[in-house]
């Protein structure tokens, strides 16, 4: 997340309570999805939450619908999308039956 001491976050558009909640949610997402770099760009009119998978995807994983980067408008939407991605990547790591 953008550093809470950044002047853009001290403007009237974000209250201290909103910032504290965002920091708490960011910490929770990072704990819940350790294989992802999670951040929030909060110095925009509307925050953007995003996750970047640390490990590169295989072609098989990409073909199966896995994404390297996700961007969502809320921490809840990002958590939901990350859950789907974690499961996709997990399933695609299984060896194929021969």
């Amino acid at each position: 997340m953008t550093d809470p001491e950044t002047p853009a976050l001290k403007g009237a558009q974000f209250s201290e309570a909103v910032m504290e909640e965002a920091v708490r949610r960011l910490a929770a997402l990072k704990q819940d999805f350790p294989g992802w770099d999670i951040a929030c760009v909060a110095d925009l009119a509307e925050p953007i939450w995003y996750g970047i998978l640390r490990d590169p995807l295989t072609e098989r994983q990409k073909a199966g619908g896995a994404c390297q980067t996700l961007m969502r408008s809320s921490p809840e939407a990002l958590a939901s999308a990350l859950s789907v991605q974690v499961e996709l990547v997990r399933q695609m790591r299984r060896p194929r039956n021969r």
Side-chain angles (χ1 to χ4, degrees):
M1 176 166 215
T2 305
D3 182 354
E5 295 305 314
T6 302
L9 298 180
K10 291 185 174 185
Q13 87 189 68
F14 297 107
S15 70
E16 187 173 325
V18 168
M19 284 307 302
E20 287 175 6
E21 180 65 12
V23 169
R24 186 190 67 72
R25 289 180 175 199
L26 180 64
L29 284 169
K30 287 181 175 185
Q31 182 176 344
D32 292 345
F33 300 97
W36 292 76
D37 288 323
I38 312 256
C40 177
V41 178
D43 52 352
L44 304 171
E46 293 292 324
I48 297 174
W49 293 79
Y50 65 93
I52 301 171
L53 185 62
R54 288 190 185 122
D55 295 332
L57 293 169
T58 65
E59 290 304 316
R60 182 171 178 246
Q61 290 167 332
K62 290 176 191 175
C67 298
Q68 193 77 39
T69 303
L70 298 171
M71 293 174 42
R72 298 294 186 271
S73 61
S74 71
E76 298 85 6
L78 183 60
S80 177
L82 287 169
S83 294
V84 169
Q85 291 297 308
V86 166
E87 183 59 22
L88 274 173
V89 169
R90 186 188 66 76
Q91 288 177 358
M92 294 293 171
R93 283 189 179 145
R94 292 182 187 158
R96 292 182 179 175
N97 292 338
R98 297 181 188 213

